[in-house]
């Protein structure tokens, strides 16, 4: 009888906890008034160099987009920059004849232009100095790099009265009179995983956080390939770790274009104009950063054509929330694969984004983002091909070829691309990191030294505790890193198989772990991606979905500096602890 009473009490307690934890959910479509008030500009002055998004719209064209404001401490001025969409441009040809016409010349760190290319205009708008690179000049396309089309950059004094009015004047000098600051914004759609309002923004397309865990089987990954010239394993490991934490401190992986517009390009960087059509900037692909689906692209950690003996760099695993970014492209191999060069290469990748679209195909000088229908279809096919290829295959042959959507590709399915516009936050979206064997304690200690007590939730990165953030490979090879990636996924779908690999690792037997891992990989080759669609995987997905809801709800309270953020953090931690203890609500 006493045992029965205890069971009932436990049941009631768990039910109460479950009801309490499921009572809150972040509203992604909640509208916030955009206030560019004194507090907004004060936040820029207090954080020099850091950008905050300013949300803009053109209602007749049904276009919403973001530009950025920052405080330039050296110049003691605010800088307002962004790219005006082509459909919003209404730049007066007559006015352009009276303006200072020049070549666009973005500068490197040392104030030297990286290039001078594309027609730009300089003009004064009120108390602001403006540079604009129009899409069209006298109804003809501006021969500028794709990333520069529509680019505007204005600076103005910190003492300007009514800066909101000045910003609207700037927009209407280059766009139509209907292009203006948005009055209200669904901020949770832009800052879903973020605890502050600084840095590049992405609009999230999923209807709910629950859908994020259903977008794909594999988490997006970025292979950190640096310090190829260093052959000493100890030196390279430390250099890789130090550089990685420098990027973590900066927070954002930024595209080549964003780094240039923020004057972050080193002085030694130069463009090879004889091969400009073969470069990312010449083909309009410098505005994205490159992730991949699967265990990692076959970039070498050694100098070109040298034997593969260097210590591999870390693999960064990002939340599946990346698949919910509106400005996202998918391509099944590396982007130099198309036979086309220059802008035609981007068009080939644009064409691929429309593979699942029933709408008429169209051409664009700008990246076309994959629809939700297309990204589900493309991601599923890429994952199937990866399983067929063998998830542990680390061949040096980058061009074996494969067939997808009734089309032959020359490249390698492992080198597929998840192409994200502008940048991605490491401190917000990074949920795992595969590191060399015997180094996780070094990464953990570095994390503690960098972030201890820097905020209420310093121990968590993308809802992941820092001790779980670092995943050790079993051996310092590309194969070892792929096995670690596979085991990380098996923990979420086949915990029994992951346990077998863990036991082999604890026995200090990399060879035995590799044998078991290879057998599992061959099983996956036969079954395909359906191998990962287990009952346990669905259970974990539900838990991960709820964890993200609680995490994002807490982060919203942080952004708003809400008095209940401590309570929401405690709710999140209680849920995490309940999962880890096995007492799952």
């Amino acid at each position: 009888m006493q045992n029965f009473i205890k069971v009932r009490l436990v049941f009631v307690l768990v039910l109460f906890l479950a009801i309490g934890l499921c009572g809150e959910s972040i509203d992604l479509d909640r509208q916030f008034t955009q206030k560019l008030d004194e507090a907004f500009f004060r936040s820029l002055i207090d954080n020099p160099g850091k950008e905050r998004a300013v949300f803009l719209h053109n209602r007749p064209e049904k276009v919403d987009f973001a530009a950025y404001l920052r405080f330039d401490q050296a110049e003691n001025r605010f800088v307002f920059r962004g790219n005006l969409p082509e459909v919003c441009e209404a730049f007066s040809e007559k006015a352009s004849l009276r303006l200072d016409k020049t070549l666009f010349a973005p500068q490197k760190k040392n104030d030297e232009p990286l290039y001078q290319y594309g027609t730009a205009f300089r003009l004064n708008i009120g108390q602001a100095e403006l540079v604009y690179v129009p899409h069209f000049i006298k109804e003809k396309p501006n021969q500028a790099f794709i990333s520069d089309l529509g680019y505007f950059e204005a600076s103005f004094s910190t003492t300007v009265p009514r800066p909101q009015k000045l910003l609207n004047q700037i927009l209407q000098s280059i766009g139509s009179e209907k292009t203006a600051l948005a009055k209200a914004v669904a901020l949770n759609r832009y800052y879903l995983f973020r605890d502050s309002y600084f840095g590049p923004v992405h609009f999230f397309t999923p209807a709910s956080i629950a859908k994020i865990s259903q977008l794909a089987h594999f988490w997006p990954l970025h292979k950190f390939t640096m310090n190829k010239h260093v052959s000493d394993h100890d030196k390279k490991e430390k250099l890789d770790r130090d550089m990685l934490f420098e990027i973590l401190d900066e927070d954002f992986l930024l595209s080549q274009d964003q780094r240039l517009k923020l004057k972050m390009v080193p002085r030694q960087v130069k463009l090879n104009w004889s091969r400009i059509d073969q470069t990312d900037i010449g083909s309009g692909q410098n505005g994205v950063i490159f992730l991949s689906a699967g265990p990692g692209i076959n970039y070498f950690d050694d100098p070109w054509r040298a034997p593969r003996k260097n210590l591999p760099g870390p693999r960064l695993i990002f939340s599946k929330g990346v698949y919910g970014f509106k400005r996202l492209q998918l391509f099944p191999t590396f982007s130099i694969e198309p036979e086309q060069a220059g802008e035609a290469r981007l068009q080939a990748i644009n064409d691929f984004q429309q593979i699942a679209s029933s709408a008429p195909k169209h051409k664009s000088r700008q990246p076309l983002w994959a629809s939700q229908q297309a990204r589900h279809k493309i991601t599923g096919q890429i994952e199937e091909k990866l399983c067929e290829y063998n998830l542990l295959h680390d061949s040096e042959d980058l061009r074996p070829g494969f067939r997808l959507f009734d089309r032959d590709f020359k490249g390698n399915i492992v080198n597929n691309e998840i192409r994200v516009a502008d940048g991605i936050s490491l401190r917000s979206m990074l949920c795992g990191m595969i590191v060399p064997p015997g180094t996780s304690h070094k990464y953990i200690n570095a994390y503690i030294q960098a972030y201890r007590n820097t905020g209420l939730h310093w121990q968590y990165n993308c809802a992941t505790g820092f001790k779980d953030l670092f995943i050790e490979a079993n051996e310092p090879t590309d194969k070892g890193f792929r096995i670690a990636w596979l085991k990380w996924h098996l923990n979420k779908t086949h915990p029994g198989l992951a346990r077998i690999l863990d036991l082999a690792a604890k026995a200090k037997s990399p060879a035995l772990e590799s044998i078991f891992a290879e057998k599992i990989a061959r099983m996956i080759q036969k079954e395909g991606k359906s191998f990962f669609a287990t009952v346990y995987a669905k259970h974990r997905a539900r838990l991960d979905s709820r964890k993200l809801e609680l995490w994002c709800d807490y982060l919203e309270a942080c952004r708003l500096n809400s008095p209940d953020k401590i309570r929401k953090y405690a709710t999140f931690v209680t849920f995490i602890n309940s999962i880890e203890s096995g007492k799952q609500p």
Side-chain angles (χ1 to χ4, degrees):
M1 185 64 176
Q2 286 182 335
N3 288 339
F4 175 72
I5 293 172
K6 287 181 179 178
V7 170
R8 287 191 64 185
L9 285 173
V10 170
F11 175 77
V12 171
L13 179 61
V14 171
L15 181 62
F16 176 77
L17 182 61
I19 292 172
L21 290 179
C22 294
E24 297 178 78
S25 182
I26 191 169
D27 181 359
L28 292 181
D29 294 311
R30 177 185 172 192
Q31 293 289 306
F32 294 79
T33 301
Q34 178 165 234
K35 295 180 180 179
L36 301 188
D37 53 12
E38 184 178 346
F40 180 97
F41 286 96
R42 172 52 56 187
S43 74
L44 298 179
I45 292 173
D46 291 341
N47 295 274
K50 291 187 176 182
E51 295 192 309
R52 284 191 65 169
V54 177
F55 298 95
L56 317 169
H57 66 198
N58 184 305
R59 278 292 164 258
E61 302 295 344
K62 297 181 180 179
V63 172
D64 295 281
F65 61 107
Y68 296 93
L69 268 167
R70 72 176 185 272
F71 173 62
D72 185 328
Q73 194 169 33
E75 299 291 332
N76 194 33
R77 292 172 71 81
F78 292 117
V79 179
F80 179 49
R81 71 178 189 92
N83 285 77
L84 185 73
E86 178 183 324
V87 71
C88 298
E89 184 171 275
F91 194 59
S92 171
E93 293 182 23
K94 292 183 179 179
S96 69
L97 298 176
R98 301 194 300 269
L99 303 177
D100 180 10
K101 188 176 180 180
T102 184
L103 290 176
F104 185 56
Q107 296 177 327
K108 299 185 286 188
K109 280 184 179 180
N110 63 339
D111 296 330
E112 174 187 330
L114 177 65
Y115 57 82
Q116 298 182 63
Y117 186 70
T119 301
F121 293 92
R122 298 181 184 276
L123 57 158
N124 293 319
I125 305 297
Q127 298 183 48
E129 298 174 0
L130 172 67
V131 174
Y132 182 58
V133 185
H135 292 269
F136 295 93
I137 300 172
K138 297 181 179 179
E139 299 182 353
K140 294 182 179 180
N142 187 0
Q143 296 306 305
F145 289 129
I146 285 176
S147 58
D148 296 334
L149 292 171
Y151 184 72
F152 62 89
E153 183 169 307
S155 66
F156 55 92
S157 170
T158 58
T159 61
V160 166
R162 300 178 64 190
Q164 286 197 54
K165 181 179 179 181
L166 178 59
L167 296 181
N168 275 324
Q169 287 179 327
I170 291 169
L171 292 171
Q172 288 163 18
S173 69
I174 55 180
S176 74
E177 60 181 15
K178 299 298 183 180
T179 304
L181 299 173
K183 293 182 179 179
V185 186
L187 292 180
N188 289 329
R189 286 279 185 183
Y190 288 95
Y191 295 99
L192 186 60
F193 285 76
R194 307 264 282 276
D195 62 357
S196 81
Y197 292 113
F198 289 101
V201 297
H202 290 281
F203 185 85
F204 282 83
T205 59
S208 68
I209 299 174
K211 287 191 175 181
I212 287 176
S213 60
Q214 303 167 11
L215 290 168
H217 289 292
F218 300 153
W219 277 250
L221 182 139
H222 177 78
K223 186 174 179 182
F224 187 81
T225 306
M226 304 291 287
N227 303 307
K228 293 184 178 184
H229 62 289
V230 181
S231 58
D232 183 280
H233 277 208
D234 290 336
K235 289 181 180 178
K236 186 174 186 302
E237 187 278 322
K238 186 178 187 306
L239 281 173
D240 284 350
R241 178 161 35 91
D242 289 346
M243 289 184 69
L244 191 56
F245 273 89
E246 284 179 16
I247 297 173
L248 273 172
D249 286 340
E250 291 177 359
D251 191 358
F252 290 91
L253 277 177
L254 294 174
S255 69
Q256 297 173 29
D257 177 59
Q258 291 299 303
R259 292 180 62 81
L260 176 58
K261 300 293 172 48
L262 292 170
K263 293 184 67 172
M264 298 172 67
V265 175
R267 63 177 300 173
Q268 66 267 23
V269 174
K270 298 183 184 298
L271 293 183
N272 182 352
W273 285 95
S274 66
R275 293 180 55 83
I276 198 68
D277 280 353
Q278 298 295 330
T279 65
D280 284 346
I281 192 170
S283 58
Q285 301 181 77
N286 61 318
V288 298
I289 60 168
F290 300 88
L291 311 180
S292 63
I297 55 180
N298 279 336
Y299 275 0
F300 307 127
D301 293 278
D302 308 88
W304 177 244
R305 297 189 184 282
R308 297 179 69 176
K309 61 182 181 179
N310 273 4
L311 185 74
R315 268 79 157 162
L316 310 182
I317 302 173
F318 288 90
S319 166
K320 289 184 191 177
V322 169
Y323 285 115
F325 289 168
K326 182 177 181 180
R327 296 183 303 153
L328 179 86
Q329 290 187 317
L330 298 166
F331 199 61
T333 183
F334 39 63
S335 51
I336 62 170
E337 188 267 353
E339 295 180 356
Q340 300 89 334
E343 292 187 15
R345 180 175 294 167
L346 177 64
Q347 185 58 53
I349 294 169
N350 281 349
D351 290 344
F352 190 78
Q353 307 314 301
Q354 302 177 74
I355 201 161
S357 174
S358 57
K361 304 297 186 290
H362 68 283
K363 297 187 179 296
S364 172
R365 288 190 75 194
Q366 295 293 322
L368 295 179
W369 310 117
S371 67
Q372 284 296 298
Q373 181 185 12
R375 67 185 66 187
H376 280 278
K377 184 175 181 180
I378 294 169
T379 301
Q381 288 294 313
I382 287 175
E383 289 183 338
E384 199 68 74
K385 284 291 182 183
L386 280 167
C387 292
E388 179 184 316
Y389 178 73
N390 191 320
L391 294 169
L392 299 187
H393 193 17
D394 60 344
S395 170
E396 295 185 24
D397 185 358
L398 295 181
R399 293 183 176 273
F402 62 94
R403 190 167 182 80
L404 193 75
F405 296 118
D406 297 322
R407 174 183 157 187
D408 291 322
F409 288 89
K410 299 177 183 176
N412 190 312
I413 191 65
V414 172
N415 294 290
N416 66 84
E417 295 178 350
I418 301 171
R419 303 152 58 84
V420 178
D422 296 341
I424 186 171
S425 169
L426 289 173
R427 295 287 287 136
S428 301
M429 301 295 289
L430 185 69
C431 58
M433 188 185 306
I434 304 173
V435 299
T439 66
S440 62
H441 68 284
K442 296 179 181 179
Y443 279 85
I444 289 172
N445 289 336
Y447 186 98
I448 292 171
Q449 290 179 12
Y451 301 115
R452 185 201 293 270
N453 298 328
T454 53
L456 182 61
H457 56 277
W458 71 271
Q459 298 179 64
Y460 293 94
N461 207 86
C462 194
T464 303
F466 71 91
K467 291 182 180 178
D468 297 322
L469 193 63
F470 305 104
I471 308 139
E472 274 197 12
N474 72 333
E475 57 183 52
T477 62
D478 194 53
K479 177 68 71 65
F481 276 64
R482 291 174 187 274
I483 290 172
W485 174 91
L486 178 59
K487 185 163 64 175
W488 191 82
H489 280 73
L490 290 174
N491 269 312
K492 299 176 182 299
T493 60
H494 296 75
L497 293 177
R499 179 67 176 158
I500 291 173
L501 296 180
D502 273 334
L503 289 173
K506 288 177 181 177
K508 306 294 184 183
S509 178
L512 184 61
E513 187 178 1
S514 293
I515 290 171
F516 284 130
E518 286 169 1
K519 289 183 180 296
I520 294 169
R522 285 195 290 272
M523 290 168 56
I524 297 169
Q525 274 186 298
K526 292 179 181 178
E527 294 186 33
K529 66 177 183 177
S530 63
F531 174 88
F532 296 97
T534 64
V535 172
Y536 183 80
K538 293 178 181 177
H539 170 65
R540 279 296 301 260
R542 285 193 295 268
L543 291 177
D544 285 346
S545 173
R546 186 60 193 146
K547 179 179 73 172
L548 283 177
E549 285 180 349
L550 294 172
W551 176 245
C552 291
D553 191 41
Y554 161 67
L555 294 180
E556 181 191 24
C558 289
R559 296 192 300 270
L560 299 174
N561 196 24
S562 172
D564 63 351
K565 67 180 179 182
I566 294 176
R567 177 184 63 80
K568 291 187 175 186
Y569 178 66
T571 303
F572 164 75
V573 172
T574 299
F575 186 80
I576 289 287
N577 291 340
S578 72
I579 294 175
E580 293 176 350
S581 66
K583 298 175 182 177
Q584 299 161 7

